[in-house]
Amino acid sequence: MLDIIEAKKRGRANSASELGALVSGYLAGDVPDYQMSAWLMAVCLRGMDQTEATALTDIFVASGTELAWESLSAPAVDKHSTGGVGDKTSLVVVPLAAACGLAAPKVSGRGLAFTGGTIDKLESIPGFRVDLTAREFQRQVEEVGAAIVAQSADLVPADRAIYELRDATGTVASPGLIAASIMSKKLAAGAGTIAIDVKVGSGAFMPDYESAIDFADMLVGIGRSAGRKVRAFLTDMNQPLGFAVGHSVEVSEALDVLQGKGPQDVTELALTIVSGLIRDSGLRPAPRAARERAERAISSGTAEAKFREIMRAQSGDLEAFEREPPHERLPVRLPIQLGRGGYVTRVDARAAGRALSLLGGARKVKGESIDHAAGLYITKKVGDPVASDEDWGWIAARDEDSARQALAALREGLSVADSPPPISNLILDQVTG
């Protein structure tokens, strides 16, 4: 172990056999936390190359169960986001992909820090089950075409154990470690075609394009080495995606998108990702045909119907949620105002994430309980005109104090100017290897 740590500390790549000994030793209890922590910190400081990240991914996958979907008549696809503010895209992509004739077995996670997790959003729906057994998961995908579940204890247990240590030692933000963590779960989940949404900007762990494109290359390379078709989308996360930031409020917005009346940016991103999955899976190789198929699934109502079918299959009472969404039951609703008019030049995603955290809707440490009802609804986007006395949306909270703290944090990320700013693209690039 000392040789492995020393090698990484000096910037030398660890071999596959060294990484295997490290991980297996840690899981067996032969490698103590303090030595694994030292290696993790050395990786954060020195980095990992493509070969190391690929080897570590393979070791993580081999530590647990690997799902297989050969019995399905439809191509199995998967989608992952590196985490952002207001990112409810998976809630749209999974039913939309299934409505287009794909199978979408989705293993999702919970949020940490300012980024939201798909499982947290779904847990705002009364009764929704995220912990399906492997057999229940398989049966639902076979019968319904899709399922969204939490990571089980036997799926990539090595990553699960090491991530908990990374969380406790400040060694989460390492591209190589993150790539191995993401791709090991995607490969173990068994889909042959994978889309990765790499967020770029203030509300993402990749703040700039250059680091994001390198990270996307690493993810795609790991997938290709395992024989999977992987497409990475680099997407803007300098402002929240959509209008809703929070758990139940994002479920409501995802439903709006599936009904064809949601925010343009969420709709466009979901259609682009699903179109890519349709093409890469071979279901409709031509780009225009793939896009038209995805658009029809929304306009015809089949995507919304598939979402409702998934909810029923996993015991979610969507009708009760729609009658009285959790965020609408909160006692405090505070309007968002800036007090200045002009053109919106900034709606900072990290500031919105910080506001949600102050409302109790985000975790500071893994395993912490959160408020699924608290949230924000920000109706203004960069470039929009706004009057000095105009509301930018609202904050839903359990008490006035947290609402006002959240408003103060959010206002630090809002700004206007006399002339309209340049507008950046939502989808910055694509990487396919």
Side-chain angles (χ1 to χ4, degrees):
M1 269 305 303
L2 289 176
D3 289 341
I4 294 172
I5 295 169
E6 188 68 24
K8 179 50 64 178
K9 186 177 75 173
R10 294 182 181 279
R12 182 177 73 78
N14 292 133
S15 67
S17 61
E18 288 176 330
L19 293 171
L22 172 70
V23 173
S24 62
Y26 184 67
L27 293 179
D30 299 327
V31 174
D33 280 355
Y34 62 83
Q35 286 190 316
M36 179 59 85
S37 299
W39 179 81
L40 291 170
M41 187 58 72
V43 171
C44 283
L45 296 174
R46 291 294 193 173
M48 299 183 84
D49 63 24
Q50 181 77 49
T51 301
E52 287 178 288
T54 300
L56 185 60
T57 302
D58 293 340
I59 292 163
F60 282 173
V61 172
S63 70
T65 300
E66 295 181 52
L67 303 177
W69 304 101
E70 289 89 349
S71 61
L72 297 177
S73 58
V77 302
D78 202 351
K79 175 261 176 190
H80 178 82
S81 169
T82 58
V85 179
D87 184 10
K88 69 284 297 176
T89 317
S90 290
L91 299 178
V92 180
V93 165
V94 171
L96 179 55
C100 290
L102 299 168
K106 179 79 171 75
V107 179
S108 293
R110 292 180 170 83
L112 186 62
F114 57 84
T115 62
T118 298
I119 294 299
D120 295 320
K121 305 180 205 307
L122 289 169
E123 286 181 333
S124 69
I125 300 170
F128 189 86
R129 289 183 60 209
V130 299
D131 296 316
L132 301 186
T133 67
R135 180 62 194 130
E136 288 173 325
F137 184 34
Q138 184 176 13
R139 186 186 306 117
Q140 182 173 321
V141 174
E142 290 171 349
E143 295 175 355
V144 177
I148 308 175
V149 300
Q151 181 182 357
S152 64
D154 58 352
L155 191 73
V156 200
D159 170 63
R160 191 186 191 104
I162 292 172
Y163 188 91
E164 289 177 356
L165 186 62
R166 289 167 59 202
D167 185 33
T169 56
T171 53
V172 171
S174 165
L177 294 174
I178 294 171
S181 179
I182 290 172
M183 292 307 296
S184 62
K185 289 189 279 286
K186 296 297 102 179
L187 298 181
T193 304
I194 302 167
I196 308 288
D197 181 5
V198 179
K199 300 296 187 187
V200 186
S202 69
F205 88 93
M206 286 291 175
D208 61 85
Y209 174 85
E210 289 75 16
S211 58
I213 200 77
D214 289 341
F215 183 61
D217 280 333
M218 180 175 282
L219 294 170
V220 171
I222 292 171
R224 285 171 62 87
S225 72
R228 312 297 172 89
K229 295 177 181 177
V230 183
R231 183 184 298 266
F233 299 88
L234 273 66
T235 64
D236 180 71
M237 187 38 69
N238 284 303
Q239 62 180 332
L241 186 66
F243 303 139
V245 178
H247 305 293
S248 73
V249 69
E250 289 189 42
V251 172
S252 292
E253 186 165 89
L255 266 170
D256 287 343
V257 174
L258 290 166
Q259 293 167 355
K261 57 182 183 182
Q264 188 274 334
D265 56 350
V266 184
T267 302
E268 178 58 28
L269 181 56
L271 286 169
T272 300
I273 289 173
V274 173
S275 298
L277 290 171
I278 292 171
R279 287 152 51 198
D280 293 342
S281 69
L283 190 64
R284 288 288 186 278
R288 182 167 182 171
R291 174 76 180 208
E292 289 174 350
R293 186 171 185 131
E295 290 174 344
R296 282 197 305 272
I298 290 180
S299 62
S300 67
T302 55
E304 181 194 357
K306 183 60 67 175
F307 182 78
R308 295 182 182 278
E309 187 180 2
I310 295 167
M311 295 300 106
R312 288 193 298 271
Q314 292 182 237
S315 304
D317 191 345
L318 191 60
E319 289 72 21
F321 176 93
E322 291 178 291
R323 281 195 301 272
E324 193 174 19
H327 56 275
E328 293 188 1
R329 298 200 300 266
L330 293 180
V332 176
R333 179 163 293 201
L334 190 67
I336 299 168
Q337 288 188 335
L338 190 61
R340 296 192 299 276
Y343 291 91
V344 177
T345 57
R346 189 167 65 114
V347 183
D348 186 66
R350 189 173 288 261
R354 169 67 176 156
L356 181 64
S357 180
L358 290 168
L359 295 171
R363 291 180 182 84
K364 300 176 182 66
V365 295
K366 192 174 182 181
E368 184 179 24
S369 61
I370 57 172
D371 189 339
H372 292 87
L376 307 83
Y377 197 78
I378 309 168
T379 59
K380 296 300 179 183
K381 293 288 187 182
V382 171
D384 288 349
V386 61
S388 60
D389 59 348
E390 187 177 355
D391 288 353
W392 292 51
W394 44 260
I395 292 172
R398 295 197 179 274
D399 58 77
E400 289 278 352
D401 185 54
S402 65
R404 296 197 178 281
Q405 288 183 47
L407 178 59
L410 176 63
R411 290 180 63 176
E412 290 181 4
L414 306 179
S415 60
V416 298
D418 293 335
S419 57
I423 307 299
S424 64
N425 294 328
L426 171 64
I427 299 170
L428 306 173
D429 211 339
Q430 295 186 36
V431 177
T432 61

